[in-house]
């Protein structure tokens, strides 16, 4: 049997451990000893750990020689293993020649450059710094020089523009290097390993980049040189630059994530002065922009200041932040516990700047980290918070905030905002009164306010900040940064979880939300609880379920023979979305739109109706508690003509979701086209026909007919704007409606027995009076109401019934949006004429039919021009069912899967193979 080659491995690190494991598989090789560095504290080098598992003798030397002379005891131990070949995969120690030459076959050594270019300890950095087109590694026979011995083999790869020190190491130098060490050993074993003398032409010996003075970047250089220097030190240790602050102080920073930037100067940047750079550098939404001496720009994505890595775009924001520095002794003890958890997971030393993911952590590690931290500190940490604070210092600060406040996202967290306390419904509810931009409550730039009036008593409840166009711009910029920044870090499933958190918080606060809605909009409390708030919660839950189910198709297309082609589609979020909503269901309109928008992965800003923005502001508070990153959701109460218009006009807003009247919808559509051709969906007014045939279930028809008009005091976009009642039952139907109306309880919406509350606001109330006056003037018969409820303060409008209405009358054609029933007769033998009359409107939102004849009902459903058809019921909407109109009632659905598509764009990808 041939003698096995006896190998001593001298080195350290994962690389050396992997080489060891690779060689263990070779039948013709015996690893006789591993020589590595001593333990650091209690931490053993992975090479030693791996060797021990395989019962290989391990020797740990702090040094091999003293004053240039090999230590005898070290030499003796080395000789004891009787190695015939020394393999040095990665070795940071100086090995004496007695050892290098001590093995019969000599010593082979891995070096991360194509020798002789870039000799020395920082070869990979210099490959990038010098702008080489190829990178590679060499395995050479060690001699008495530094990286000068004869070559055994080399491997090379083209350098990509996206390469950094990290990427080139991870994608090539490490994996291919381990394999090549195996090949080199095999070549030695079979006696075919060459010894090619290194040329001296092109040989260099580069400075070591672990010396701080060598890490300072020269900014008086071309853009390409700056870029190469930064990527050559990315991610360790990072190129050093110095910021010159306006107050005369200086701050040393490190730069990461460099790339050449061809888009040119930025228009909306903030100036930053850097030492050694004669021109101004700019912080902008994409990072830090530096101009090279050749006029070309380099963009820097990340900056390390002190121990914390931040997005360069957030430089000025971070400067304003109060990061936690005053840790108590107890917190410092906890810090080392957390560091221990990180270290155990990452299997490497952890310092303030350790990035969890850059250190190789995956999703299971996130789960382990969260669970261990939760168990150790009893805090309600969630997985997505690790993604938002991946650097150790950030993570620990987050934890300290949890510990100091009880919980950073618990229900009792007191956010910093101005509020008023609403005392109603036996509760005291704090309601924010400022704009919500980028995760913070702030005053309006213009300091203007809106007076919020309680429609039940006509008194001012509070004043809230009124957004200007400048505030809208700030919110759009925040949403834009979030869309391209923090929101992208969140996976779809985590996004769904955030939405579920929010829904749970809304559920826990539903009485508060319903109380606010009732006081602010006049909604009857019980209805507010069930519909305004209840359906809002359902919308968030329903759309949360969609987050991780948004998928495209694979499409069979004609291949370009002889090749094959794969075509698939991706559904992608659109970007920053503007949402504009009316006052009839303030929180529900917000939720219908925003839940779909957020589920699709967009960021947004909403301008709620100026008359009742309070639930939207309370909602904003809940989004912070639910854990949404800043900028993802922004809430800006304000006027439509000002803030609303600014949203429609903004060039960074890519989609507008609007619910409101048809005239404003048309105006907005023009603005969307003129500004940047933004996609828009419009949920507009309606004049929905309800047909009641004589063969209906009369009790049901009366009950639903009443609610089709009077539900939510008629402030209901799908309200039946016109009832067509068959002549045979017309009088009976009216008699029964009037009977029920006379017993309807009208009064304080917070009273649980109330069925009908005040109209939303004065202008609307006055409009309803005018609507009725026109009906009377045109000859319709006012059989009930048409006036203010006598003896009641507040905007209480008496539920109203008109009969003898002809098709040409104003009240037959225009939407009242109030509690006004408009009744016309029809003859049951002439369904064709009836359908013509029902469709003779420019609106097409909803419709209804009552009949026991299924054929008649389906015939109606076929022929009616409306987006929603109710048969033998009315007002039955559901978050899973698409909702939206035809004709001038708009287009683009709310709710259901179709709503999700309103907030997605389709990308088609074709690949030839
Ligand atoms: P609106 O007057 O059209 O207002 C709707 C929203 O648009 C409000 O937030 C309003 O701000 C804003 N706005 C006004 N002018 C604007 C402009 N130039 N640019 C951008 N935004 C502007 O409607 P409304 O009176 O609030 O609501 C009633 C209407 O909504 C009815 O026609 C009803 O049928 C319809 N609606 C439809 C649906 C549906 O799903 N189809 C649902 C509910 C309501 P201000 O607060 O300053 O007015």
């Amino acid at each position: 049997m041939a003698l096995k080659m006896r190998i001593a491995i001298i080195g350290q690190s994962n690389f050396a451990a992997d080489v060891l494991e690779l060689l263990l598989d070779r039948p013709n090789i015996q690893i006789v000893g591993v020589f590595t560095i001593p333990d650091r504290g209690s931490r053993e080098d992975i090479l030693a750990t791996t060797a021990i598992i395989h019962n290989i003798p391990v020797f740990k030397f702090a040094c091999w020689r003293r004053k240039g002379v090999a230590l005898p005891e070290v030499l003796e131990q080395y000789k004891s293993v009787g190695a015939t070949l020394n393999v040095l995969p990665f070795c940071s120690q100086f090995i004496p020649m007695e050892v290098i030459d001590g093995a019969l076959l000599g010593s082979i050594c891995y070096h991360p450059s194509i020798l002789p270019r870039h000799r020395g300890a920082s070869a990979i950095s210099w490959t990038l710094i010098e702008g080489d087109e190829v990178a590679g590694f060499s395995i050479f026979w060690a001699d008495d020089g530094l990286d000068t011995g004869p070559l055994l083999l080399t491997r090379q790869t083209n350098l990509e523009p996206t390469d950094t020190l990290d990427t080139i190491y991870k994608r090539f130098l490490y994996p291919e290097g381990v394999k090549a060490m195996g090949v080199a050993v095999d070549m030695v074993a079979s006696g075919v390993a060459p010894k090619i003398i290194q040329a001296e032409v092109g040989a260099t010996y580069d400075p070591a980049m672990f010396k701080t003075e060598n890490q300072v970047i020269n900014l008086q250089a071309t853009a390409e040189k700056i870029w190469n220097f930064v990527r050559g030190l990315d991610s360790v240790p990072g190129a050093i630059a110095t910021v010159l602050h306006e107050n005369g102080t200086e701050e040393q920073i490190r730069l990461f994530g460099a790339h050449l930037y061809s888009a040119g100067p930025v228009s909306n940047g903030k100036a930053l002065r850097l030492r050694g750079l004669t021109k101004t550098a700019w912080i902008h939404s994409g990072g830090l922009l530096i101009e090279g001496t050749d006029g070309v720009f380099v963009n820097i994505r990340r900056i390390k200041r002190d121990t914390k890595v931040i997005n360069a775009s957030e430089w000025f924001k971070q400067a304003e932040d109060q990061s936690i520095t005053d840790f108590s002794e107890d917190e410092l003890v906890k810090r080392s516990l957390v560091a221990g958890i990180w270290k155990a997971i990452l299997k490497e030393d952890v310092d303030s700047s350790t990035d969890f993911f850059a250190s190789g952590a995956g999703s299971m590690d996130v789960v382990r980290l969260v669970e261990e931290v939760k168990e150790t500190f009893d805090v309600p940490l969630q997985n997505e918070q690790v993604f938002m604070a991946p650097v150790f210092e950030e993570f620990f600060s987050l934890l300290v905030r949890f510990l100091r406040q009880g919980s950073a996202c618990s229900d009792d967290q007191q956010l910093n905002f101005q509020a008023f306390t609403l005392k109603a419904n036996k509760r005291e509810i704090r309601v924010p009164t400022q704009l919500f931009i980028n995760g913070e409550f702030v005053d309006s730039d213009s300091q203007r306010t809106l007076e919020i009036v309680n429609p039940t008593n006509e008194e001012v409840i509070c004043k809230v900040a009124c957004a200007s166009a400048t505030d809208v711009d700030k919110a759009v910029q925040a949403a834009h940064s979030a869309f391209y920044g923090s929101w992208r870090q969140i996976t779809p499933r985590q996004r769904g979880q955030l939405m579920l958190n929010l829904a749970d918080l809304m559920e826990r606060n539903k009485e508060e939300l319903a109380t606010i809605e009732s006081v602010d909009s006049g909604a009857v409390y019980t209805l507010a609880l069930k519909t305004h708030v209840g359906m809002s919660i359902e919308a968030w839950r329903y759309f949360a379920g969609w987050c991780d189910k948004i998928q495209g198709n694979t499409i069979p297309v004609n291949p370009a023979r002889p090749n094959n082609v794969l075509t698939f589609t991706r559904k992608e979020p659109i970007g920053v979305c503007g949402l504009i909503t009316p006052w009839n269901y303030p929180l529900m309109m917000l939720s219908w739109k925003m839940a779909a928008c957020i589920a699709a992965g967009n960021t947004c800003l909403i301008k709620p109706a100026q008359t009742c923005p309070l639930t939207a502001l309370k909602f904003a508070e809940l989004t912070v508690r639910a854990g949404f990153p800043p900028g993802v959701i922004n809430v800006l109460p304000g006027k439509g003509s000002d803030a609303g218009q600014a949203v429609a006009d903004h060039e960074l807003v890519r989609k507008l979701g609007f619910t409101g009247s048809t005239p404003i919808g048309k105006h907005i559509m023009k603005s969307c086209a003129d500004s940047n051709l933004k996609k828009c969906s419009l949920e507009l007014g309606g004049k929905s026909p309800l047909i009641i045939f004589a063969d209906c279930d009369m009790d049901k028809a009366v009950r639903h007919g009443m609610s089709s008009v009077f539900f939510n005091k008629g402030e209901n976009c799908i309200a039946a704007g016109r009832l067509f009642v068959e002549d045979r039952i017309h009088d009976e139907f009216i008699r029964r409606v009037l009977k029920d109306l006379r017993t309807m309880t009208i009064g304080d919406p917070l009273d649980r027995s109330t069925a009908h509350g005040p109209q939303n606001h004065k202008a609307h109330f006055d409009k309803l009076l005018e609507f009725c006056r026109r009906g009377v003037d045109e000859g319709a018969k006012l059989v009930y109401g048409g006036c203010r409820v006598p003896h009641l303060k507040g905007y209480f409008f008496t539920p109203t019934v008109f009969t003898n209405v002809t098709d040409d009358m104003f009240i037959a054609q225009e939407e009242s949006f109030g509690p006004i029933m408009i009744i016309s007769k029809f003859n049951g033998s002439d369904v064709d004429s009836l359908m013509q009359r029902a469709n003779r409107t420019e609106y097409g939102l909803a419709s209804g039919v009552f009949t026991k004849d299924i054929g008649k009902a389906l015939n109606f459903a076929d022929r009616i021009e409306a987006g929603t058809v109710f048969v033998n019921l009315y007002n039955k909407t559901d978050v899973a069912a698409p909702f939206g109109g035809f004709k001038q009632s708009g287009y683009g659905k709310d709710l259901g899967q179709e709503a999700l598509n309103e907030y997605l764009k389709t990308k088609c990808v074709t690949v030839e193979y």
Side-chain angles (χ1 to χ4, degrees):
M1 201 174 87
L3 278 181
K4 288 188 174 186
M5 189 160 72
R6 297 171 63 81
I7 288 182
I9 294 192
I10 304 174
Q12 65 203 73
S13 82
N14 281 312
F15 186 89
D18 282 356
V19 171
L20 167 63
E21 295 221 302
L22 184 85
L23 295 181
L24 283 170
D25 288 342
R26 304 284 202 274
N28 57 341
I29 281 169
Q30 185 185 354
I31 310 293
V32 291
V34 157
F35 296 84
T36 188
I37 52 173
D39 296 353
R40 270 183 260 165
S42 59
R43 189 161 177 252
E44 186 176 55
D45 189 83
I46 181 84
L47 175 62
T49 312
T50 312
I52 289 164
I53 292 168
H54 295 286
N55 296 321
I56 298 167
V58 174
F59 304 87
K60 299 174 183 175
F61 302 142
C63 57
W64 293 67
R65 55 181 202 165
R66 193 163 296 127
K67 294 185 180 158
V69 178
L71 296 172
E73 65 274 21
V74 167
L75 267 186
E76 196 177 319
Q77 290 186 61
Y78 165 72
K79 283 182 185 158
S80 71
V81 301
T84 48
L85 179 72
N86 295 325
V87 174
L88 284 73
F90 170 69
C91 180
S92 63
Q93 294 178 310
F94 197 94
I95 311 298
M97 281 315 291
E98 289 89 331
V99 173
I100 294 292
D101 292 339
L104 183 67
L105 297 170
S107 299
I108 61 169
C109 189
Y110 172 87
H111 178 82
S113 89
I114 309 162
L115 287 170
R117 189 146 170 78
H118 306 308
R119 290 171 177 160
S122 302
I124 320 177
S125 293
W126 283 99
T127 307
L128 289 150
I129 292 171
E130 302 246 301
D132 292 5
E133 289 189 355
V134 291
F137 58 82
S138 313
I139 296 171
F140 68 97
W141 297 95
D143 65 4
D144 56 352
L146 283 174
D147 309 331
T148 51
L151 297 172
L152 193 162
L153 66 75
T154 58
R155 296 273 189 272
Q156 70 178 50
T157 181
N158 286 338
L159 264 175
E160 300 295 332
T162 47
D163 273 326
T164 62
L165 185 114
D166 276 355
T167 63
I168 188 65
Y169 186 67
K170 282 184 185 148
R171 79 171 171 80
F172 186 78
L173 299 176
Y174 188 114
E176 294 305 317
V178 171
K179 282 188 229 161
M181 286 302 277
V183 173
V185 168
D186 290 342
M187 289 165 85
V188 177
S190 52
V192 295
K195 289 191 175 171
I196 305 160
I197 302 302
Q198 287 192 37
E200 279 311 304
V201 181
T204 61
Y205 189 83
D206 299 315
M209 296 312 281
F210 49 76
K211 292 186 178 160
T212 312
E213 63 269 26
N214 294 336
Q215 297 159 7
V216 178
I217 191 165
N218 171 16
L219 294 170
Q220 278 304 104
T222 61
E224 190 164 332
K225 286 212 159 113
I226 295 172
W227 167 52
N228 284 333
F229 192 85
V230 176
R231 65 192 187 125
L233 274 66
D234 191 346
S235 65
V236 179
I240 295 176
T242 303
V243 175
L244 305 174
H245 289 297
E246 278 177 7
N247 62 7
T249 58
E250 297 186 356
E251 180 179 349
Q252 197 177 75
I253 58 172
R254 287 184 187 267
L255 312 177
F256 305 94
H259 61 103
L260 287 177
Y261 186 88
S262 57
V266 287
S267 53
N268 56 353
K270 246 177 132 180
L272 191 74
R273 281 178 56 225
L274 297 176
R275 185 194 284 152
L277 185 69
T278 45
K279 295 179 184 158
T280 307
W282 299 97
I283 296 288
H284 68 123
S285 59
L288 163 67
L289 209 58
I290 297 171
E291 189 174 348
T293 47
D294 52 355
V296 179
F297 290 88
V298 182
N299 192 50
I300 304 292
R301 290 209 183 90
R302 292 180 303 284
I303 291 176
K304 185 170 175 187
R305 65 188 311 184
D306 201 4
T307 54
K308 192 173 172 191
V309 178
I310 60 166
N311 285 327
S313 59
E314 289 170 2
W315 173 267
F316 288 106
K317 181 176 179 305
Q318 296 287 327
E320 291 153 14
D321 273 0
Q322 291 295 312
S323 56
I324 301 179
T325 48
D326 56 333
F327 296 118
S328 67
E329 270 183 33
D330 179 49
E331 283 164 353
L332 288 174
V333 172
K334 290 187 166 112
R335 193 176 198 281
S336 53
L337 284 175
V338 183
I341 295 173
W342 275 53
K343 189 171 160 183
I345 296 172
L346 300 177
K347 299 192 176 52
E348 65 178 40
D349 279 342
V350 169
D351 63 26
S352 324
S353 63
T354 303
D355 185 307
F356 198 64
F357 298 105
S359 302
S363 54
M364 273 314 294
D365 299 313
V366 173
V367 177
R368 179 173 161 195
L369 175 63
V370 167
E371 290 312 311
E372 288 197 28
V373 168
K374 272 160 69 176
E375 199 180 323
T376 314
F377 302 104
D378 190 24
V379 288
L381 188 70
Q382 291 168 23
N383 291 4
E384 51 273 18
Q385 284 164 319
V386 181
F387 291 91
M388 289 177 215
V391 176
F392 182 78
E393 199 59 39
E394 288 172 1
F395 182 84
F396 182 64
S397 293
L398 177 84
L399 183 66
V400 169
R401 268 184 219 113
F402 270 106
L403 294 165
R404 287 186 187 178
Q405 294 169 358
S407 156
C409 67
S410 80
D411 233 8
D412 8 310
Q413 184 193 358
Q414 292 293 303
L415 292 167
N416 197 10
F417 57 73
Q418 286 168 22
F420 89 101
T421 303
L422 174 64
K423 293 181 186 160
N425 215 8
K426 298 189 190 141
R427 295 169 186 276
E428 294 199 359
I429 308 165
R430 259 183 111 230
V431 186
T433 52
Q434 293 169 291
L435 311 179
F436 182 67
I437 300 176
N438 206 18
E440 289 173 0
F441 284 95
V442 292
D443 285 332
S444 161
D445 192 60
S446 65
Q447 300 296 326
R448 279 186 307 160
T449 52
L450 297 166
E451 279 196 345
I452 307 302
V453 175
N454 181 345
T456 304
N457 56 21
E458 302 178 40
E459 285 170 10
V460 173
I461 313 169
C462 65
K463 288 182 180 179
V464 304
C466 175
S468 65
T470 318
D471 298 312
V472 167
D473 182 56
K474 283 184 195 159
V476 173
Q477 299 294 348
H480 191 257
S481 299
F483 183 74
Y484 290 100
S486 57
W487 198 222
R488 293 224 157 163
Q489 312 293 321
I490 309 274
T491 65
R493 210 158 290 155
Q494 289 162 345
R495 193 161 76 228
Q497 187 55 52
L498 282 174
M499 293 175 70
L500 290 173
N501 295 348
L502 177 61
D504 289 350
L505 276 170
M506 289 168 78
E507 177 101 54
R508 261 186 269 156
N509 289 275
K510 68 177 182 229
E511 283 86 7
E512 280 78 5
L513 289 166
T515 304
I516 301 169
E517 202 75 301
S518 190
V519 172
D520 196 10
S521 80
V524 168
Y525 177 72
T526 46
L527 182 73
L529 208 52
K530 179 172 179 296
T531 302
H532 292 236
V533 180
M535 204 171 173
S536 300
I537 296 168
E538 282 185 21
W540 284 97
R541 292 204 170 122
Y542 169 78
F543 283 108
W546 271 114
C547 291
D548 59 358
K549 297 165 196 74
I550 297 170
Q551 52 199 27
N553 296 313
T554 51
I555 302 170
V557 298
N558 268 357
R561 292 286 182 220
N563 294 332
N564 284 319
V565 169
L566 169 68
T567 293
F568 62 93
T569 55
R570 290 165 50 94
K571 294 278 185 188
E572 296 183 352
I574 297 172
V576 178
C577 299
L579 309 175
I580 299 178
T581 46
W583 39 258
N584 56 334
Y585 294 100
L587 185 65
M588 195 174 87
M589 290 295 104
L590 173 153
S591 300
W592 281 21
K593 298 207 170 303
M594 199 188 286
C597 168
I598 292 294
N602 301 284
T603 58
C604 69
L605 64 156
I606 184 164
K607 191 214 81 69
Q610 59 168 301
T611 56
C612 30
L614 297 186
T615 41
L617 289 171
K618 189 71 188 168
F619 166 88
E621 182 194 333
L622 299 184
T623 65
V624 181
R625 292 191 195 166
F628 277 87
V632 173
I633 294 171
N634 301 275
V635 180
L636 291 98
K639 294 180 191 261
S641 53
D642 188 0
Q645 187 65 49
V647 177
D649 287 341
H650 206 291
E651 295 202 343
L652 285 181
V653 175
R654 296 290 167 193
K655 153 88 199 198
L656 198 129
F658 174 80
T659 296
S661 62
T662 298
I664 299 290
K666 288 182 179 180
H667 172 82
I668 281 199
M669 196 171 159
K670 280 188 201 141
S671 303
C672 288
D674 288 345
S675 54
N676 59 350
L677 209 63
K678 59 177 69 67
K679 182 178 178 182
C680 68
S681 48
L682 304 169
E683 293 290 343
L684 308 177
K687 188 70 179 171
S688 305
L690 171 60
I691 315 287
I692 300 176
F693 282 104
D695 64 354
C696 68
D697 173 336
M698 190 66 158
D699 286 347
K700 216 174 170 191
V702 170
R703 201 169 66 247
H704 285 278
M706 295 270 295
S707 104
S708 77
V709 175
F710 302 120
F711 192 77
N712 197 41
K713 351 134 208 177
E715 294 166 353
N716 187 16
C717 52
I718 54 170
R722 249 192 116 178
L723 271 65
F724 295 91
V725 183
E726 191 167 341
D727 45 12
R728 286 189 287 148
I729 59 162
H730 176 266
D731 294 351
E732 171 63 6
F733 180 83
I734 290 168
R735 191 187 64 73
R736 291 178 63 166
V737 165
L738 294 183
K739 179 170 166 268
D740 283 0
L741 274 184
R742 286 187 195 102
T743 56
M744 189 185 263
T745 318
I746 302 174
D748 183 354
L750 286 171
D751 192 323
R752 304 304 191 264
S753 62
T754 297
H756 183 84
Q759 302 307 138
N760 186 279
H761 56 276
K762 184 164 187 317
H764 179 54
F765 178 85
D766 292 344
K767 211 182 98 192
L768 294 180
L769 287 173
E770 173 61 16
F771 188 90
C772 291
R773 192 191 57 73
R774 283 189 76 163
V776 172
D777 286 353
E778 286 185 324
K781 187 173 171 195
L782 178 65
V783 291
Y784 196 85
C787 58
R788 178 185 268 279
V789 175
H791 319 300
L792 262 188
K793 206 179 171 199
Y795 309 127
F796 288 94
F797 195 88
T798 316
T800 297
V801 179
F802 275 103
T803 60
N804 293 3
V805 180
T806 55
D807 297 351
D808 56 332
M809 287 179 183
F810 175 80
I811 62 170
Q813 291 175 359
E814 293 303 323
E815 180 186 34
S816 74
F817 214 49
I820 302 174
M821 186 179 274
I822 311 284
I823 304 180
S824 307
K825 276 185 200 168
F826 72 92
N827 186 291
S829 68
D830 186 6
V831 175
D832 285 347
S833 299
L834 172 68
M835 288 312 300
Q836 278 183 26
R837 294 175 69 194
N839 282 329
R840 197 180 296 147
T841 165
E842 271 301 301
Y843 294 110
L845 191 55
S847 62
V849 62
F850 279 81
T851 172
K852 286 183 186 154
D853 181 338
I854 188 70
K856 252 192 229 171
L858 290 177
N859 191 27
F860 172 82
D862 282 350
R863 295 170 69 181
I864 195 71
E865 294 168 355
T868 295
V869 182
F870 296 118
V871 177
N872 291 334
L873 84 174
Y874 208 88
N875 281 330
K876 175 63 190 145
T877 53
D878 189 278
V879 290
F883 178 98
F886 291 175
K887 300 197 282 193
Q888 294 199 34
S889 289
Y891 54 81
K893 300 288 181 191
D894 273 342
L895 303 182
Q897 188 179 4
E898 288 202 34
L900 198 68
N901 286 331
E902 294 296 328
Y903 293 91
L904 289 166
K905 55 185 192 270
T906 303
K907 183 180 277 173
C908 181
V909 183
T910 298
V911 186
E912 189 174 80
Y913 62 100

